[in-house]
Structure formats: structure tokens, C-alpha cells
């Protein structure tokens, strides 16, 4: 697939198209409605940014570790103790995502309560902003000038984001809070410890940690947990040069997700990795693997799609083009925001097509 299709999905390009269209419509009709829509879009970006900063602030106060924060075209990540500001190329992340975790949940106290406050941090930030904006609006004279129109919209949009993110629908802050409330302190500690292991270098995992993760996988009821543990253990075994055991973990994870009969996207991603690991181990692509790679469309992201197409188009690497395309796909793995998936691909891809 040509790169331009990913450019079309870039947050900056989408915003440019929106404002370009609004500008054309305003010139054609002289209707100030289109200016209003542009103002609302800009205010919405600001409100989402403050929402994510609310999560970051509460997380920091609660002694959580920072992984990344994204909204619109801004991506903040932490690597080797340093905060990096990058351009966000992912449209889904542009709607706002913050990832923080406890370093060692099993030794921490009040994890359940602290995680509730962390998820409430975003809505609380919007509540704070709309309260301050409301006080400014009613206590001062903002009846003149264009700002008198913007401030009420700022109040309303912050209220909308606060309410929308607190509604207990899957994927919202409210849903995360309700899920935590339903679980015991020990269960929440276990979930948080999995996050801690997931973002920890796999070289630091002990034999006891591996046993804990396998037990957690056996009892896991959520496909998301099975998916995370499978990738973490796969990364561990590949780093330890034990790909056979990693392949067994992949199959166990697939069996458990298939048994749950849900999360077909997670299942397909695990099959994608199983295909790559099999290619890495055997230096050949099976017919089943070829068919599975064809199911990876551009909606899975530029990294996955580029890698899949590189192998499909030239699995024998006769001209050497496959290696170049795999390197291109590998360079795009930053969009995954996942240290274990990135680690797996860095270990597997360089050997594919080069004789194992």
C-alpha cells in the first residue's frame, strides 16, 4: 500500500483538511457557522490535552511511573529516564491516551484506591477547567469581544468531555473505575503487577516472575490479559534464545483467546506473531502462514502491514527486497507503543530471509 494512505490518516493532515474545508465553505457562503466549528475543534484539542495532563498529574502524585502521553499530534514518551516529545503519527492516539503504572504493585499499599484516583484525574482536570472558566465568565465582564463567545464553548466542551469519559462504557475512565470497584485489593494488585512486568525489561524477569505470569495466564478471564502475558513471555523466551518455548506460549495464548470466542483482533495479532516466529525458526513460510499474513490489512497499522506485505510479496527474498521492506516495517514499530511487541520484532525480523 502506498505511503500516502497513511498520510491521509495522520492527525495533522486530518486537521488540515478540516480547516481547509471550513475555510472554503466560509469563503463561499460567508456563514460564521464554519468559523464556530473551527473554534470548537481547536477548543476540543485543548480540552483533551488538559484531560490527559490530569491523568499524568494524579499519576505522578500517586507515585506511578510514566510511560507515554498522547493527544492530537503530540506524543510524550519516557525512555532511559528522559522525557521525549515527538510527533504523534497515530490517529487513534490523537484522541488522547495516557499510560502510567506502578513499579511494584505487590509491595505497594492502597493500589485499588490510588488507581481510582488516577483514572478520575482526567475528568477532574476538565471539571477544574470548567469551574475556573465559569467563575471568570460570571465574575468578570466578558460581554464584549470575540472571547465572550469562546469562553462558554470552552465550558461546555469541558463538561461534555468530563461526562462522556465518566460514563461506564468500555474504554472510558468511568468503565475502568467501575471495573476496579468490582475487584478486590488483591485482584487489582495482580492486574497492576502485570502492567509493571509488561513495561519492565524482560532481562529483569526472575524465575519466580515467570512462574507468577504463567499462573496469572491460566486464571486470566480477560483476553486482554492473556494477550499481554503471551507477548511478554514470548519476548522473554526469544531474548533467552528459547524460541520453541515461546512458540508453545503463543499457542497456549491463542487457545485461551479462541476459547473465550472474543477479541478477534487480538487473536489475529497473535497469529501474526506465530507466523513470524515459525518463519524465524524454520526459515520457511508455510501455506497457512501465507494465508494468515494476507489477513493483515492497513487497518492493523503501517508496521504490521508493511511487514506482512514484505513477506507475502517475496517470501524467498530472491532479490533482497524483502529485507529492505522488513527494515522499513521495523522502523515503523514505534507506533505500537509496546516494548514487548517492538522487542519481538527486533529479534525476529533481521533473521527472516537471511537463512535463520
Amino acid at each position: 500500500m502506498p505511503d500516502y494512505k497513511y498520510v491521509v490518516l495522520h492527525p495533522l493532515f486530518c486537521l488540515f483538511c478540516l480547516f481547509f474545508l471550513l475555510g472554503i465553505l466560509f469563503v463561499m457562503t460567508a456563514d460564521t457557522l464554519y468559523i464556530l466549528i473551527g473554534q470548537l475543534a481547536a477548543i476540543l484539542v485543548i480540552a483533551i490535552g488538559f484531560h490527559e495532563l490530569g491523568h499524568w498529574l494524579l499519576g505522578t502524585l500517586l507515585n506511578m511511573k510514566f510511560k507515554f502521553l498522547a493527544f492530537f499530534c503530540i506524543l510524550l514518551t519516557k525512555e532511559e529516564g528522559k522525557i521525549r516529545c515527538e510527533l504523534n503519527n497515530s490517529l487513534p492516539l490523537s484522541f488522547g491516551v495516557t499510560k502510567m503504572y506502578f513499579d511494584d504493585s505487590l509491595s505497594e499499599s492502597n493500589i485499588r484506591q490510588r488507581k481510582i484516583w488516577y483514572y478520575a484525574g482526567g475528568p477532574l482536570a476538565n471539571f477544574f477547567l470548567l469551574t475556573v472558566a465559569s467563575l471568570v465568565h460570571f465574575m468578570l465582564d466578558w460581554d464584549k469581544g470575540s472571547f465572550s463567545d469562546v469562553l462558554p464553548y470552552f465550558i461546555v466542551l469541558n463538561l461534555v468531555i468530563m461526562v462522556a469519559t465518566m460514563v461506564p462504557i468500555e474504554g472510558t475512565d468511568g468503565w475502568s473505575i467501575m471495573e476496579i470497584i468490582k475487584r478486590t485489593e488483591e485482584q487489582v494488585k495482580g492486574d497492576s503487577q502485570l502492567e509493571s512486568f509488561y513495561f519492565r525489561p524482560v532481562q529483569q524477569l526472575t524465575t519466580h516472575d515467570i512462574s507468577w505470569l504463567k499462573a496469572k495466564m491460566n486464571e486470566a478471564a480477560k483476553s486482554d490479559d492473556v494477550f499481554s502475558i503471551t507477548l511478554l513471555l514470548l519476548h522473554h523466551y526469544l531474548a533467552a534464545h528459547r524460541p520453541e518455548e515461546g512458540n508453545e506460549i503463543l499457542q497456549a495464548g491463542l487457545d485461551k483467546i479462541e476459547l473465550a470466542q472474543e477479541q478477534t483482533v487480538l487473536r489475529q495479532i497473535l497469529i501474526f506473531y506465530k507466523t513470524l516466529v515459525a518463519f524465524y525458526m524454520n526459515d520457511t513460510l508455510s501455506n497457512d502462514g501465507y494465508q494468515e499474513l494476507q489477513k493483515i490489512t492497513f487497518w492493523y497499522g503501517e508496521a504490521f502491514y508493511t511487514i506482512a506485505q514484505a513477506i507475502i510479496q517475496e517470501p524467498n527474498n530472491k532479490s533482497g527486497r524483502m529485507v529492505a521492506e522488513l527494515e522499513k516495517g521495523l522502523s515503523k514499530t514505534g507506533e505500537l507503543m509496546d516494548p514487548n511487541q517492538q522487542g519481538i520484532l527486533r529479534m525476529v525480523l533481521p533473521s527472516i530471509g537471511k537463512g535463520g
Side-chain angles (χ1 to χ4, degrees):
M1 171 167 297
D3 289 342
Y4 76 85
K5 293 198 175 183
Y6 292 103
V7 173
V8 170
L9 295 175
H10 195 283
L12 279 176
F13 183 81
C14 292
L15 191 68
F16 170 79
C17 290
L18 173 63
F19 280 105
F20 181 78
L21 177 61
L22 292 174
I24 293 295
L25 291 172
F26 175 71
V27 170
M28 293 175 60
T29 64
D31 191 338
T32 56
L33 171 64
Y34 302 113
I35 294 179
L36 172 60
I37 295 173
Q39 290 177 333
L40 291 176
I43 294 170
L44 186 63
V45 169
I46 295 171
I48 291 174
F50 275 104
H51 179 96
E52 298 307 323
L53 287 173
H55 286 303
W56 169 81
L57 178 60
L58 262 293
T60 301
L61 293 174
L62 294 168
N63 199 32
M64 298 178 74
K65 299 291 184 180
F66 175 75
K67 183 59 183 176
F68 71 87
L69 182 155
F71 73 96
F72 183 46
C73 63
I74 296 174
L75 175 62
L76 299 175
T77 60
K78 188 173 185 179
E79 295 182 9
E80 300 178 351
K82 296 181 180 180
I83 301 292
R84 294 177 55 190
C85 183
E86 306 173 48
L87 182 66
N88 172 36
N89 299 314
S90 171
L91 186 60
L93 289 181
S94 67
F95 294 101
V97 180
T98 300
K99 189 64 181 178
M100 300 183 75
Y101 61 97
F102 290 102
D103 190 39
D104 187 1
S105 299
L106 297 181
S107 63
E108 298 275 358
S109 59
N110 299 322
I111 291 292
R112 188 164 173 263
Q113 183 178 356
R114 290 157 72 183
K115 289 205 72 172
I116 289 174
W117 278 110
Y118 165 67
Y119 284 114
L124 284 174
N126 293 121
F127 177 74
F128 174 78
L129 286 176
L130 73 89
T131 301
V132 171
S134 297
L135 289 173
V136 170
H137 181 65
F138 290 111
M139 293 177 65
L140 302 178
D141 185 13
W142 295 104
D143 294 334
K144 297 180 180 180
S146 59
F147 194 73
S148 63
D149 295 327
V150 173
L151 197 58
Y153 298 140
F154 184 77
I155 294 169
V156 171
L157 283 178
N158 272 282
L159 178 62
V160 168
I161 292 175
M162 183 189 75
V163 173
T165 54
M166 285 302 293
V167 174
I169 300 174
E170 186 170 359
T172 66
D173 296 323
W175 180 83
S176 297
I177 291 172
M178 289 300 298
E179 287 296 301
I180 292 172
I181 291 173
K182 292 176 185 177
R183 300 173 72 78
T184 66
E185 176 74 13
E186 291 304 313
Q187 288 174 324
V188 175
K189 275 190 174 184
D191 294 341
S192 296
Q193 187 64 17
L194 173 56
E195 291 180 341
S196 173
F197 283 145
Y198 201 81
F199 293 112
R200 187 180 301 177
V202 290
Q203 294 81 2
Q204 295 180 10
L205 293 176
T206 65
T207 303
H208 178 269
D209 296 335
I210 299 301
S211 298
W212 186 91
L213 285 166
K214 288 182 177 180
K216 179 74 173 175
M217 182 172 173
N218 289 332
E219 67 183 31
K222 296 187 295 185
S223 294
D224 288 344
D225 289 345
V226 176
F227 180 79
S228 296
I229 297 171
T230 300
L231 291 176
L232 175 54
L233 290 176
L234 173 62
H235 188 193
H236 165 76
Y237 285 122
L238 287 175
H241 306 289
R242 293 150 63 186
E244 294 82 5
E245 292 177 73
N247 198 42
E248 291 174 4
I249 287 293
L250 262 174
Q251 189 57 56
L254 277 167
D255 292 342
K256 199 163 179 65
I257 288 180
E258 287 176 356
L259 189 63
Q261 297 182 341
E262 60 179 10
Q263 295 289 357
T264 55
V265 173
L266 297 185
R267 176 181 174 275
Q268 191 60 50
I269 292 174
L270 288 185
I271 291 175
F272 170 76
Y273 283 113
K274 187 171 176 60
T275 302
L276 294 184
V277 170
F279 200 167
Y280 166 78
M281 293 169 59
N282 305 319
D283 196 33
T284 184
L285 181 67
S286 67
N287 290 331
D288 288 342
Y290 183 87
Q291 293 174 7
E292 293 297 344
L293 289 180
Q294 288 183 315
K295 297 178 183 178
I296 302 296
T297 66
F298 80 98
W299 292 111
Y300 283 84
E302 188 171 4
F304 283 174
Y305 185 80
T306 302
I307 292 166
Q309 288 300 305
I311 298 173
I312 288 172
Q313 293 174 10
E314 196 174 5
N316 297 320
N317 193 34
K318 291 180 180 178
S319 68
R321 183 186 174 193
M322 185 180 78
V323 171
E325 288 298 307
L326 288 178
E327 290 176 351
K328 179 182 176 182
L330 191 58
S331 70
K332 304 293 184 181
T333 56
E335 70 182 17
L336 300 174
M337 300 306 300
D338 186 320
N340 289 293
Q341 294 196 59
Q342 289 175 269
I344 292 167
L345 293 172
R346 289 192 190 108
M347 291 178 185
V348 170
L349 294 185
S351 294
I352 290 180
K354 292 185 178 180

